[in-house]
Amino acid sequence: MGFFKKLLPFALAGVSLQGLAVSVDFPQADIDSGKALKEIGQTALNNALARLDGSSKCTKENVRRRKEWRTLPGEERKAYVKAVECLMEQPNVYENVTGPKIYVWTFEEKLRTLCGYTGAFPYWEWGLDAGGVEKSPLFDGSETSLGSNGAKVNSSNNFFPGGSGGGCVTHGPFVNYTVNFGPNTAKDPLAYNPRCLKRDLNTQICAQWASIKNTTETILESPDIALFQANLQGDFRWPEARKWGFAVHGGGHFSIGKSRVLDRRAGCADI
Ligand SMILES: *[C@@H]1O[C@H](CO)[C@@H](O)[C@H](O)[C@H]1NC(C)=O
Ligand SMILES: *[C@@H]1O[C@H](CO)[C@@H](O)[C@H](O)[C@H]1NC(C)=O
Ligand SMILES: *[C@@H]1O[C@H](CO)[C@@H](O)[C@H](O)[C@H]1NC(C)=O
Ligand SMILES: *[C@@H]1O[C@H](CO)[C@@H](O)[C@H](O)[C@H]1NC(C)=O
Protein backbone atom coordinates (compact mmCIF):
# COMPACT_ATOMS: atom_id res chain seq x y z
CA MET A 1 0.00 0.00 0.00
CA GLY A 2 1.30 3.36 -0.96
CA PHE A 3 0.83 6.92 -0.04
CA PHE A 4 -2.07 6.90 2.38
CA LYS A 5 -0.98 3.90 4.36
CA LYS A 6 2.27 5.71 4.97
CA LEU A 7 0.87 9.03 5.88
CA LEU A 8 -2.13 8.01 7.90
CA PRO A 9 -0.41 6.39 10.87
CA PHE A 10 1.58 9.61 10.99
CA ALA A 11 -1.61 11.62 10.91
CA LEU A 12 -2.84 9.58 13.81
CA ALA A 13 0.28 9.85 15.95
CA GLY A 14 -0.85 10.89 19.37
CA VAL A 15 -4.47 10.24 18.48
CA SER A 16 -4.64 6.49 18.29
CA LEU A 17 -3.01 4.32 20.94
CA GLN A 18 -4.50 1.11 19.68
CA GLY A 19 -1.23 -0.74 19.34
CA LEU A 20 -1.42 -2.24 15.85
CA ALA A 21 -1.30 0.63 13.36
CA VAL A 22 -2.63 -1.59 10.60
CA SER A 23 -5.77 0.19 9.60
CA VAL A 24 -6.61 3.80 10.13
CA ASP A 25 -9.38 4.24 12.58
CA PHE A 26 -10.72 7.71 12.70
CA PRO A 27 -13.84 7.81 14.82
CA GLN A 28 -16.91 8.12 12.56
CA ALA A 29 -17.76 11.42 14.26
CA ASP A 30 -14.40 12.88 13.16
CA ILE A 31 -14.96 11.64 9.60
CA ASP A 32 -18.41 13.20 9.46
CA SER A 33 -17.39 16.50 11.05
CA GLY A 34 -14.37 17.14 8.83
CA LYS A 35 -11.83 16.80 11.67
CA ALA A 36 -10.29 13.73 10.03
CA LEU A 37 -10.06 15.45 6.63
CA LYS A 38 -8.33 18.43 8.24
CA GLU A 39 -5.74 16.14 9.82
CA ILE A 40 -5.13 14.33 6.54
CA GLY A 41 -4.79 17.69 4.77
CA GLN A 42 -2.37 18.99 7.36
CA THR A 43 -0.23 15.86 7.02
CA ALA A 44 -0.21 16.17 3.24
CA LEU A 45 0.85 19.82 3.55
CA ASN A 46 3.63 18.96 6.01
CA ASN A 47 4.86 16.23 3.68
CA ALA A 48 4.82 18.58 0.69
CA LEU A 49 6.72 21.30 2.56
CA ALA A 50 9.24 18.76 3.86
CA ARG A 51 9.98 17.81 0.25
CA LEU A 52 11.04 21.38 -0.57
CA ASP A 53 14.67 20.71 0.11
CA GLY A 54 16.05 23.77 -1.67
CA SER A 55 17.02 21.89 -4.82
CA SER A 56 14.32 23.56 -6.95
CA LYS A 57 13.08 27.11 -7.56
CA CYS A 58 10.11 26.35 -5.36
CA THR A 59 10.78 27.21 -1.73
CA LYS A 60 8.76 27.41 1.47
CA GLU A 61 8.85 31.18 1.07
CA ASN A 62 7.59 31.44 -2.51
CA VAL A 63 5.31 28.42 -2.75
CA ARG A 64 1.70 29.53 -3.26
CA ARG A 65 -1.04 27.95 -1.22
CA ARG A 66 -4.56 27.63 -2.61
CA LYS A 67 -7.27 28.39 -0.10
CA GLU A 68 -10.90 27.51 0.43
CA TRP A 69 -13.17 30.38 -0.70
CA ARG A 70 -14.70 31.09 2.70
CA THR A 71 -11.28 31.48 4.35
CA LEU A 72 -10.50 34.47 2.08
CA PRO A 73 -11.32 37.96 3.37
CA GLY A 74 -14.18 39.65 1.49
CA GLU A 75 -11.85 42.11 -0.23
CA GLU A 76 -9.76 39.25 -1.61
CA ARG A 77 -12.88 37.47 -2.90
CA LYS A 78 -13.97 40.63 -4.71
CA ALA A 79 -10.47 41.09 -6.13
CA TYR A 80 -10.60 37.52 -7.42
CA VAL A 81 -13.96 38.06 -9.16
CA LYS A 82 -12.62 41.27 -10.68
CA ALA A 83 -9.55 39.48 -12.01
CA VAL A 84 -11.71 36.69 -13.52
CA GLU A 85 -13.90 39.33 -15.19
CA CYS A 86 -10.75 40.99 -16.51
CA LEU A 87 -9.45 37.69 -17.87
CA MET A 88 -12.77 37.08 -19.61
CA GLU A 89 -12.27 40.34 -21.49
CA GLN A 90 -8.85 39.32 -22.81
CA PRO A 91 -8.55 38.41 -26.50
CA ASN A 92 -8.64 34.76 -27.45
CA VAL A 93 -5.13 33.36 -27.63
CA TYR A 94 -6.08 30.40 -29.80
CA GLU A 95 -5.81 31.24 -33.46
CA ASN A 96 -7.61 28.08 -34.44
CA VAL A 97 -9.57 26.59 -31.63
CA THR A 98 -8.92 22.89 -31.61
CA GLY A 99 -10.25 21.77 -28.27
CA PRO A 100 -8.39 24.18 -26.00
CA LYS A 101 -7.58 23.10 -22.49
CA ILE A 102 -7.07 25.79 -19.88
CA TYR A 103 -5.10 24.17 -17.13
CA VAL A 104 -5.63 25.36 -13.60
CA TRP A 105 -2.07 26.57 -13.26
CA THR A 106 -2.32 28.57 -16.50
CA PHE A 107 -5.58 30.12 -15.35
CA GLU A 108 -4.04 31.05 -12.00
CA GLU A 109 -0.97 32.45 -13.72
CA LYS A 110 -2.99 34.56 -16.20
CA LEU A 111 -5.07 36.04 -13.37
CA ARG A 112 -1.81 37.28 -11.92
CA THR A 113 0.11 38.32 -15.02
CA LEU A 114 -2.76 39.73 -17.13
CA CYS A 115 -5.17 40.89 -14.46
CA GLY A 116 -3.05 41.80 -11.46
CA TYR A 117 -4.55 39.34 -8.98
CA THR A 118 -2.18 38.93 -6.02
CA GLY A 119 -4.28 36.93 -3.56
CA ALA A 120 -4.46 33.22 -2.95
CA PHE A 121 -6.01 31.06 -5.65
CA PRO A 122 -9.27 29.82 -4.16
CA TYR A 123 -10.91 26.43 -4.29
CA TRP A 124 -14.33 25.19 -3.23
CA GLU A 125 -14.70 22.48 -0.57
CA TRP A 126 -18.17 21.45 -1.69
CA GLY A 127 -18.62 19.07 1.21
CA LEU A 128 -18.97 22.11 3.47
CA ASP A 129 -22.17 22.95 1.59
CA ALA A 130 -23.84 19.55 1.81
CA GLY A 131 -26.30 21.11 4.27
CA GLY A 132 -27.57 23.55 1.61
CA VAL A 133 -25.68 24.69 -1.47
CA GLU A 134 -28.10 27.62 -1.76
CA LYS A 135 -26.67 29.05 1.48
CA SER A 136 -23.05 28.67 0.36
CA PRO A 137 -20.93 31.82 0.55
CA LEU A 138 -19.84 30.92 -2.97
CA PHE A 139 -23.32 31.01 -4.48
CA ASP A 140 -25.46 33.19 -2.21
CA GLY A 141 -25.46 36.02 -4.74
CA SER A 142 -23.72 38.44 -2.35
CA GLU A 143 -20.99 40.73 -3.62
CA THR A 144 -18.38 38.40 -2.10
CA SER A 145 -19.82 35.33 -3.86
CA LEU A 146 -19.40 33.95 -7.37
CA GLY A 147 -22.97 34.93 -8.20
CA SER A 148 -26.37 33.48 -7.40
CA ASN A 149 -28.26 30.33 -8.22
CA GLY A 150 -30.00 30.21 -11.59
CA ALA A 151 -33.64 31.20 -11.97
CA LYS A 152 -35.97 28.40 -10.96
CA VAL A 153 -36.99 26.12 -13.82
CA ASN A 154 -38.05 22.50 -13.85
CA SER A 155 -34.76 20.75 -14.49
CA SER A 156 -35.82 17.28 -13.32
CA ASN A 157 -36.06 14.32 -15.59
CA ASN A 158 -36.52 10.62 -15.09
CA PHE A 159 -32.83 10.07 -14.77
CA PHE A 160 -31.76 13.00 -12.67
CA PRO A 161 -33.22 14.98 -9.80
CA GLY A 162 -33.20 18.65 -10.73
CA GLY A 163 -31.86 21.30 -8.40
CA SER A 164 -33.34 24.52 -7.09
CA GLY A 165 -32.31 26.70 -10.06
CA GLY A 166 -31.58 25.68 -13.63
CA GLY A 167 -32.07 29.02 -15.42
CA CYS A 168 -29.77 32.01 -15.87
CA VAL A 169 -27.82 33.36 -12.87
CA THR A 170 -30.08 36.09 -11.49
CA HIS A 171 -27.88 38.35 -9.36
CA GLY A 172 -24.43 38.94 -7.90
CA PRO A 173 -21.09 38.64 -9.72
CA PHE A 174 -21.23 37.26 -13.30
CA VAL A 175 -24.97 38.01 -13.46
CA ASN A 176 -25.00 39.11 -17.06
CA TYR A 177 -21.98 37.21 -18.20
CA THR A 178 -22.28 35.81 -21.70
CA VAL A 179 -21.02 32.28 -22.21
CA ASN A 180 -19.61 32.24 -25.75
CA PHE A 181 -18.23 28.82 -26.37
CA GLY A 182 -19.55 25.25 -26.36
CA PRO A 183 -21.22 23.20 -25.02
CA ASN A 184 -19.13 20.31 -26.21
CA THR A 185 -22.30 18.41 -27.12
CA ALA A 186 -23.32 21.14 -29.60
CA LYS A 187 -23.41 20.37 -33.32
CA ASP A 188 -20.36 22.59 -33.79
CA PRO A 189 -18.81 22.81 -30.34
CA LEU A 190 -16.20 25.32 -31.54
CA ALA A 191 -18.73 27.79 -32.91
CA TYR A 192 -19.64 31.13 -31.34
CA ASN A 193 -22.72 30.37 -29.28
CA PRO A 194 -23.61 33.28 -26.97
CA ARG A 195 -25.96 32.47 -24.09
CA CYS A 196 -26.45 33.23 -20.43
CA LEU A 197 -24.58 31.57 -17.59
CA LYS A 198 -26.87 28.96 -16.04
CA ARG A 199 -26.67 27.35 -12.63
CA ASP A 200 -28.69 24.65 -10.91
CA LEU A 201 -27.71 24.32 -7.26
CA ASN A 202 -28.47 20.81 -6.06
CA THR A 203 -28.17 20.09 -2.35
CA GLN A 204 -29.49 16.55 -2.74
CA ILE A 205 -26.61 15.59 -5.01
CA CYS A 206 -24.07 17.37 -2.82
CA ALA A 207 -25.28 15.67 0.37
CA GLN A 208 -25.52 12.22 -1.16
CA TRP A 209 -22.30 12.02 -3.18
CA ALA A 210 -19.96 14.85 -2.28
CA SER A 211 -20.18 15.25 1.48
CA ILE A 212 -17.16 15.61 3.75
CA LYS A 213 -17.84 12.03 4.85
CA ASN A 214 -17.76 10.87 1.20
CA THR A 215 -14.50 12.69 0.50
CA THR A 216 -12.81 11.43 3.65
CA GLU A 217 -13.92 7.82 3.20
CA THR A 218 -12.89 7.94 -0.47
CA ILE A 219 -9.37 8.71 0.74
CA LEU A 220 -9.38 6.24 3.62
CA GLU A 221 -10.73 3.37 1.54
CA SER A 222 -8.25 3.78 -1.32
CA PRO A 223 -5.11 1.70 -0.77
CA ASP A 224 -3.39 2.85 -3.97
CA ILE A 225 -3.57 5.63 -6.53
CA ALA A 226 -5.46 3.54 -9.12
CA LEU A 227 -8.31 2.74 -6.77
CA PHE A 228 -8.21 6.29 -5.41
CA GLN A 229 -8.82 7.61 -8.95
CA ALA A 230 -11.57 5.05 -9.51
CA ASN A 231 -13.28 5.88 -6.20
CA LEU A 232 -12.96 9.59 -6.85
CA GLN A 233 -14.58 9.24 -10.28
CA GLY A 234 -17.05 6.49 -9.42
CA ASP A 235 -15.40 4.47 -12.18
CA PHE A 236 -17.62 1.45 -12.63
CA ARG A 237 -14.81 -0.65 -14.13
CA TRP A 238 -13.65 -1.12 -10.53
CA PRO A 239 -16.32 -3.06 -8.57
CA GLU A 240 -15.22 -1.36 -5.32
CA ALA A 241 -15.85 2.06 -6.88
CA ARG A 242 -19.45 1.40 -7.87
CA LYS A 243 -20.97 2.27 -4.52
CA TRP A 244 -19.75 5.87 -4.88
CA GLY A 245 -22.26 6.61 -7.68
CA PHE A 246 -21.63 10.08 -9.10
CA ALA A 247 -18.71 10.12 -6.63
CA VAL A 248 -16.87 13.05 -5.13
CA HIS A 249 -15.81 14.36 -8.55
CA GLY A 250 -19.16 14.13 -10.32
CA GLY A 251 -20.97 15.14 -7.14
CA GLY A 252 -19.09 18.44 -7.15
CA HIS A 253 -20.03 19.14 -10.77
CA PHE A 254 -23.68 18.23 -10.34
CA SER A 255 -23.98 20.24 -7.13
CA ILE A 256 -24.01 23.35 -9.33
CA GLY A 257 -25.63 22.03 -12.50
CA LYS A 258 -26.13 18.98 -14.60
CA SER A 259 -24.56 18.59 -17.97
CA ARG A 260 -26.35 18.30 -21.27
CA VAL A 261 -24.70 14.95 -21.68
CA LEU A 262 -26.86 13.64 -18.84
CA ASP A 263 -29.88 15.32 -20.37
CA ARG A 264 -29.20 13.60 -23.65
CA ARG A 265 -28.81 10.25 -22.02
CA ALA A 266 -32.17 10.81 -20.45
CA GLY A 267 -33.64 11.81 -23.79
CA CYS A 268 -34.11 15.50 -23.05
CA ALA A 269 -33.14 18.15 -25.55
CA ASP A 270 -31.62 20.95 -23.57
CA ILE A 271 -31.73 23.00 -20.42
C1 LIG B 1 -5.58 28.42 -38.75
O1 LIG B 1 -6.44 28.08 -39.81
C2 LIG B 1 -6.16 28.74 -41.04
C3 LIG B 1 -7.25 28.38 -42.04
O2 LIG B 1 -7.47 27.00 -42.08
C4 LIG B 1 -4.76 28.34 -41.50
O3 LIG B 1 -4.43 29.00 -42.70
C5 LIG B 1 -3.74 28.71 -40.41
O4 LIG B 1 -2.47 28.26 -40.79
C6 LIG B 1 -4.14 28.09 -39.08
N1 LIG B 1 -3.25 28.58 -38.04
C7 LIG B 1 -2.65 27.78 -37.16
C8 LIG B 1 -1.78 28.42 -36.13
O5 LIG B 1 -2.79 26.58 -37.17
C1 LIG C 1 -40.67 18.39 -14.46
O1 LIG C 1 -40.35 17.76 -15.68
C2 LIG C 1 -40.40 16.33 -15.62
C3 LIG C 1 -39.86 15.77 -16.91
O2 LIG C 1 -40.44 16.41 -18.01
C4 LIG C 1 -41.81 15.89 -15.29
O3 LIG C 1 -41.86 14.49 -15.21
C5 LIG C 1 -42.23 16.51 -13.98
O4 LIG C 1 -43.57 16.21 -13.71
C6 LIG C 1 -42.06 18.03 -14.00
N1 LIG C 1 -42.31 18.55 -12.66
C7 LIG C 1 -43.04 19.63 -12.46
C8 LIG C 1 -43.17 20.08 -11.03
O5 LIG C 1 -43.58 20.24 -13.36
C1 LIG D 1 -28.27 42.57 -16.24
O1 LIG D 1 -29.16 42.59 -17.33
C2 LIG D 1 -30.47 43.00 -16.96
C3 LIG D 1 -31.37 42.81 -18.16
O2 LIG D 1 -30.80 43.39 -19.29
C4 LIG D 1 -30.40 44.45 -16.46
O3 LIG D 1 -31.69 44.88 -16.07
C5 LIG D 1 -29.46 44.53 -15.28
O4 LIG D 1 -29.28 45.85 -14.87
C6 LIG D 1 -28.09 43.94 -15.62
N1 LIG D 1 -27.30 43.84 -14.39
C7 LIG D 1 -26.02 44.23 -14.33
C8 LIG D 1 -25.37 44.08 -12.99
O5 LIG D 1 -25.41 44.61 -15.29
C1 LIG E 1 -22.05 9.84 1.31
O1 LIG E 1 -22.32 10.63 2.45
C2 LIG E 1 -23.69 10.68 2.82
C3 LIG E 1 -23.86 11.55 4.05
O2 LIG E 1 -23.02 12.62 4.07
C4 LIG E 1 -24.19 9.29 3.14
O3 LIG E 1 -25.58 9.35 3.38
C5 LIG E 1 -23.91 8.38 1.96
O4 LIG E 1 -24.28 7.06 2.30
C6 LIG E 1 -22.45 8.40 1.59
N1 LIG E 1 -22.20 7.58 0.39
C7 LIG E 1 -21.47 6.48 0.43
C8 LIG E 1 -21.34 5.74 -0.87
O5 LIG E 1 -20.91 6.11 1.44
Side-chain angles (χ1 to χ4, degrees):
M1 292 200 168
F3 185 62
F4 287 107
K5 257 282 161 80
K6 269 190 218 133
L7 82 81
L8 288 168
F10 175 56
L12 284 175
V15 176
S16 163
L17 296 171
Q18 290 172 349
L20 285 175
V22 174
S23 69
V24 176
D25 267 334
F26 283 107
Q28 190 64 44
D30 289 358
I31 290 176
D32 296 350
S33 72
K35 187 163 181 274
L37 191 57
K38 260 198 194 124
E39 283 179 29
I40 294 168
Q42 187 60 49
T43 304
L45 175 65
N46 294 344
N47 286 350
L49 290 177
R51 272 191 222 115
L52 297 177
D53 58 1
S55 61
S56 77
K57 280 187 293 185
C58 190
T59 67
K60 278 177 195 155
E61 285 65 45
N62 70 11
V63 70
R64 294 204 295 260
R65 262 170 78 181
R66 294 171 182 165
K67 296 191 177 151
E68 213 282 332
W69 182 258
R70 64 208 87 195
T71 69
L72 299 184
E75 285 313 309
E76 206 167 303
R77 295 187 212 175
K78 285 195 263 181
Y80 177 78
V81 167
K82 225 173 127 191
V84 174
E85 283 169 346
C86 156
L87 196 54
M88 286 165 166
E89 294 301 315
Q90 300 294 317
N92 181 10
V93 297
Y94 298 100
E95 190 187 332
N96 291 333
V97 179
T98 53
K101 294 174 178 62
I102 297 293
Y103 294 103
V104 170
W105 188 84
T106 304
F107 180 61
E108 179 177 9
E109 204 54 22
K110 296 282 179 208
L111 289 177
R112 303 172 73 88
T113 56
L114 289 177
C115 295
Y117 181 67
T118 56
F121 190 62
Y123 68 87
W124 174 32
E125 171 51 89
W126 43 75
L128 293 176
D129 292 320
V133 188
E134 294 79 5
K135 294 180 296 189
S136 170
L138 279 86
F139 305 115
D140 62 9
S142 66
E143 60 172 6
T144 54
S145 72
L146 296 170
S148 71
N149 198 358
K152 174 75 189 141
V153 300
N154 178 10
S155 53
S156 292
N157 59 43
N158 294 333
F159 179 73
F160 200 89
S164 54
C168 305
V169 165
T170 57
H171 59 285
F174 308 118
V175 56
N176 286 344
Y177 177 64
T178 302
V179 178
N180 297 310
F181 179 63
N184 63 5
T185 49
K187 207 167 171 189
D188 178 0
L190 302 185
Y192 178 52
N193 179 24
R195 60 206 191 280
C196 75
L197 173 64
K198 288 181 179 174
R199 216 172 253 158
D200 193 10
L201 299 184
N202 198 321
T203 295
Q204 188 187 333
I205 297 281
C206 191
Q208 195 179 345
W209 305 113
S211 68
I212 293 282
K213 171 183 156 77
N214 299 151
T215 298
T216 311
E217 290 180 344
T218 294
I219 295 170
L220 295 176
E221 293 180 23
S222 303
D224 54 45
I225 193 67
L227 193 53
F228 175 66
Q229 282 290 348
N231 285 337
L232 196 67
Q233 315 289 1
D235 188 331
F236 275 41
R237 291 174 300 174
W238 277 259
E240 304 93 313
R242 289 177 193 159
K243 70 166 180 170
W244 298 108
F246 288 127
V248 167
H249 175 184
H253 281 285
F254 302 136
S255 293
I256 55 174
K258 82 184 136 141
S259 74
R260 280 172 45 119
V261 178
L262 283 180
D263 272 335
R264 289 206 162 178
R265 236 192 265 167
C268 289
D270 200 2
I271 56 164

